[in-house]
Amino acid sequence: MFHLTAALLFSLTMQSTAPAVEHYKLRFAIDPKTHSLSAEADLGVRNTEAQAITLVPVLLYRLMDVSAASDGAGHPLRFAQKVVKFPDEPTWQVNAVEVALAEPLPPGQTTIVHLTYAGPLFGYPEVMQYVRDTISEQYSLIRAETMAYPIVAAPSIAGWRESFKNKFDFEIETKVPAGFTAVCSGKDVGEAQTREGTSTFRCIGDAGSAQISVAVAKFRVLDDPERNLRVDVLEADAEAGAQVMVDMRRALDFYRSYFGEMRHAGSLTLVEIPDGWGSYAVPGHIFQSAAAFKDRSRASELYHEVGHIWNARASEGVQRARYFDEAFASYFEALAVRQFEGPEAFRALMQSYRQTYLDRVARDARGRTVPITGYAKEEIGVFSYTIGAWSLYVLHQLLGEEGFRRAISDFLAAYSDKPAGFDDFRHAVEKSS
């Protein structure tokens, strides 16, 4: 094992950028009984700086330790690791790792960093309430919020967020005890291989991925091959999963009829995750809270996640405002509720957005004074879920039903693959109306 001197340790904490990851090759072995995993990770990184670099900063979950580092040829690399607090969020502790390259990496060039690491996973509920990810016999979840896979970034929230700008492809191999299923946010490769009491699942993700998710549980798989739909539901909720499949079909049909074909047509997989762990969507996959499976009154949460498929692509400067994803998905959710449950249910949901906004403003007065266009700078994009949705409701009233549908459809079609800002949205609506 090679270690860096203390003088070199964490020299990148003041650096605003880090090498960009272009490829992940991850091999996980999940041990639910010990709440832990062991992993091998190959990181294909590119130097995006104007000068050569000699260090690669990596973030891992606070309880995970690196035992070895090497280059693509298997030659050992020196490294250092230390549990630190993010300077811009002291409640967030991570294992900050720095790997010293054998030779300086010139600008624009790539290299492979191989890491061997292991440790338990218990989430970050003290930082983000929904990040309760753990490894257990009930459910295991690996995603970027817990850094259960290596994130190449300087040790800060700003560095961690910067890493999401990277686009990469990936290969993942997940070994689990027999009887468990591993579902990843990519495309399955072949059938699971079972051997000596374990099953190994493989998947790949196309270039353009920004994050990775792997869920492990005793899933029941429901398929709709004609429409390329799949639901991975926990065994205890299999009956509810059939109804969720129906809800997903009708939500897709409604959004298609209202806004046009989805941005990237293809297969769609819905994966059940425990309540309180935060529903979210990535291309081709929706990770949906169990409540939406078991409680029919919360079916709108699924409409919200399906609505994300129709989001425009936000430009770098406004993405953190969360307007073109969360405000739009929240209002699309309301439109689906109006379609399926009627105008009274629509009004009740909009009123709930209003009350949630008022409650949050009581805790953070910036929501009363900062315009939506300033949310990214202030890092208060959480308000887009509520007042952002209300801004679209007001626009809907101004333009009328057909005018609003046409304006939003035209905007989404124009900015499905190129970045949009607030001026772009305004000009698009003016042109359509």
Side-chain angles (χ1 to χ4, degrees):
M1 184 184 300
F2 292 80
H3 293 280
L4 300 178
T5 64
L8 288 176
L9 187 59
F10 313 126
S11 60
L12 290 179
T13 55
M14 300 305 293
Q15 187 173 301
S16 60
T17 59
V21 177
E22 294 187 331
H23 177 73
Y24 277 103
K25 186 174 183 179
L26 304 170
R27 293 170 293 280
F28 297 116
I30 305 297
D31 187 352
K33 290 185 178 180
T34 63
H35 301 279
S36 64
L37 63 79
S38 57
E40 301 277 340
D42 289 326
L43 314 177
V45 297
R46 176 181 294 276
N47 179 9
T48 57
E49 295 294 303
Q51 61 280 335
I53 61 171
T54 58
L55 296 173
V56 176
V58 175
L59 306 180
L60 279 172
Y61 184 66
R62 60 188 174 189
L63 298 178
M64 294 181 180
D65 293 313
V66 174
S67 58
S70 59
D71 62 19
H75 300 132
L77 296 175
R78 295 182 300 152
F79 68 93
Q81 58 187 330
K82 182 181 180 181
V83 175
V84 302
K85 299 177 181 179
F86 280 164
D88 43 357
E89 180 50 77
T91 61
W92 203 343
Q93 295 181 323
V94 301
N95 183 15
V97 184
E98 281 191 346
V99 180
L101 301 176
E103 297 179 356
L105 184 64
Q109 297 301 302
T110 61
T111 191
I112 298 293
V113 174
H114 177 87
L115 299 176
T116 302
Y117 69 96
L121 179 65
F122 293 104
Y124 279 117
E126 72 278 16
V127 180
M128 295 172 284
Q129 188 176 9
Y130 73 93
V131 184
R132 304 177 187 180
D133 313 6
T134 188
I135 294 172
S136 74
E137 296 192 274
Q138 287 71 47
Y139 204 97
S140 303
L141 183 62
I142 295 169
R143 55 180 168 176
E145 281 87 340
T146 52
M147 291 159 280
Y149 66 89
I151 304 293
V152 176
S156 65
I157 278 190
W160 179 76
R161 286 176 176 157
E162 188 75 15
S163 73
F164 283 87
K165 297 176 183 178
N166 293 339
K167 302 300 179 184
F168 51 78
D169 60 7
F170 60 81
E171 307 170 58
I172 301 176
E173 179 180 293
T174 307
K175 182 185 290 186
V176 300
F180 288 82
T181 299
V183 182
C184 110
S185 55
K187 180 181 178 182
D188 292 340
V189 177
E191 298 292 329
Q193 301 297 309
T194 300
R195 181 182 179 185
E196 297 178 353
T198 65
S199 297
T200 301
F201 296 81
R202 294 178 176 83
C203 72
I204 57 174
D206 295 333
S209 302
Q211 56 184 303
I212 292 168
S213 293
V214 178
V216 176
K218 293 182 178 179
F219 288 114
R220 178 80 60 84
V221 178
L222 309 177
D223 274 315
D224 181 349
E226 290 186 5
R227 302 184 60 167
N228 287 324
L229 301 179
R230 168 175 155 172
V231 174
D232 289 277
V233 60
L234 295 173
E235 289 182 338
D237 300 330
E239 185 175 340
Q243 179 59 50
V244 167
M245 176 72 87
V246 173
D247 291 338
M248 184 162 62
R249 288 192 195 107
R250 70 175 186 170
L252 287 166
D253 289 343
F254 168 66
Y255 290 138
R256 283 192 182 102
S257 68
Y258 202 88
F259 299 122
E261 187 53 67
M262 69 178 71
R263 178 170 58 186
H264 299 295
S267 63
L268 179 61
T269 298
L270 182 69
V271 185
E272 183 178 6
I273 62 174
D275 283 333
W277 289 32
S279 300
Y280 62 101
V282 295
H285 287 73
I286 296 172
F287 291 80
Q288 184 67 56
S289 171
F293 285 76
K294 296 182 284 191
D295 185 349
R296 294 294 300 146
S297 69
R298 295 178 62 174
S300 69
E301 296 176 18
L302 174 60
Y303 307 152
H304 180 104
E305 300 303 334
V306 173
H308 276 301
I309 297 172
W310 275 265
N311 285 159
R313 178 183 166 195
S315 63
E316 184 175 310
V318 304
Q319 194 280 328
R320 292 299 302 171
R322 308 312 304 267
Y323 187 74
F324 294 117
D325 54 358
E326 296 302 349
F328 274 59
S330 291
Y331 194 59
F332 293 174
E333 173 187 350
L335 292 176
V337 166
R338 184 186 67 170
Q339 175 73 12
F340 303 135
E341 301 176 30
E344 286 301 322
F346 169 80
R347 283 190 284 270
L349 180 58
M350 293 305 299
Q351 178 60 25
S352 74
Y353 291 163
R354 173 184 174 140
Q355 191 58 53
T356 300
Y357 165 71
L358 293 174
D359 292 344
R360 190 171 291 277
V361 162
R363 302 190 301 270
D364 187 346
R366 291 178 299 172
R368 189 183 299 278
T369 58
V370 175
I372 292 172
T373 54
Y375 283 4
K377 182 179 179 180
E378 295 289 326
E379 280 292 344
I380 54 173
V382 67
F383 284 107
S384 281
Y385 288 82
T386 53
I387 198 172
W390 264 90
S391 74
L392 291 170
Y393 171 72
V394 172
L395 181 64
H396 196 165
Q397 303 311 300
L398 290 170
L399 299 181
E401 189 67 42
E402 181 54 31
F404 177 79
R405 189 204 62 77
R406 182 174 62 251
I408 299 300
S409 298
D410 290 350
F411 171 69
L412 297 179
Y415 291 95
S416 64
D417 289 307
K418 64 179 180 179
F422 288 107
D423 284 342
D424 297 315
F425 181 46
R426 177 170 60 86
H427 292 317
V429 172
E430 289 174 349
K431 180 180 179 181
S432 293
S433 61

